[in-house]
Amino acid sequence: GKIADRDDDLIFLWENSNSTNRVKMKEGEKERVFRVIARGQAKFGRFFDMDLAGGFMETEGVDEELLEACRKTNRLSIEALITPANVNQDTIQRIITFSSNAGSRNFSLDQQRGGLIFSLNTSEEDTASSPPTVLSGELRQGVPNHVIVTYAPGRLLLYINGKRYVPQPQLSGDFRNWTHQHLQFGAEIDGGYDWSGKLEGIAIHNRDFTDVEAKSRYHLVVNKLKDRPKTERLEVDAILKAISITPQPEEIAPYHRCLAFYTYEIQKVLSGKPTSSRIAVYHWVILDSKIVPNQRRKEQSYRLVLEPFDLHPQLESERQISDSDEFDLPLYYDVTG
């Protein structure tokens, strides 16, 4: 995991759950380490990114500093790599929010259909009653989009995948109206406005970015993404043959999440190339210390969307349950969603 160069204006950094997510502070101060907590059905994806469908991720110990740092400069830049699961939803979904409820926020970055909406509380805009600024309609579904939103009074700009957008009308004003709020990803604080997608490479600064800087950050990310392996998916109809008994959440402490090993007999292949008709699949059975509702019964048929288990290194550190001795079967991870 990389440590950012000492960056006095970097207030929050979360690359992915496999990164150290450390920022060196000013001379003589210790470095900060940022962590997120998965809530609801949220978990980590195969690139150690936040997988936020049906849940959200909370931050700890960030709120006070974010508030003070941005009030000091009246400037803000948010950078993130955003992979939307769906660009056809009419409802507004919260991707990143610094708020306490839907009616009280310092800022939020939302998705509606393929567009981004950025709401910012400034001294000139009564954001509670004025319509939020719609930024663009360019998000691509199912692939990472590099997004930068940058603000200085009178100048709000958006960059998606290196392309620059100037929203109209422009926002102006400072952050004197900002109040104590909470930084969260993937839903509003009360769980409403749920967003389905993946999030990584998040950085929040209390300064604005130049065009040159925004473009160079995009090129850095593009180069990193070039090396990512393509997903090998298998979609099948299969009969459930054997299950592992789900433990009680308290039995897996200190873990908060748990996967269980099920075996299936494939009836029909819809896509992909299985190497055997009998397969083993790991399903989530406990998330956020709660049992995942699961009505699967033996000898019933299920449609499954699967990926090879070994393409998901993030699962190695998770609690896994197996009552089976069929460990020679091809092993998959359920990404049905």
Side-chain angles (χ1 to χ4, degrees), residues 70-81:
C70 289
R71 266 190 182 156
K72 200 183 297 174
T73 60
N74 298 302
R75 281 161 174 73
L76 171 69
S77 295
I78 301 167
E79 179 182 19
L81 203 52

Side-chain angles (χ1 to χ4, degrees), residues 62-111:
V62 180
D63 301 340
E64 200 61 36
E65 189 163 359
L66 182 54
L67 175 67
E68 283 171 17
C70 289
R71 266 190 182 156
K72 200 183 297 174
T73 60
N74 298 302
R75 281 161 174 73
L76 171 69
S77 295
I78 301 167
E79 179 182 19
L81 203 52
I82 297 174
T83 305
N86 186 342
V87 293
N88 303 309
Q89 267 179 270
D90 284 325
T91 52
I92 290 177
Q93 306 134 66
R94 293 266 189 278
I95 306 173
I96 300 173
T97 188
F98 190 33
S99 62
S100 49
N101 58 57
S104 176
R105 57 197 143 150
N106 293 333
F107 65 77
S108 71
L109 181 64
D110 304 339
Q111 183 190 334

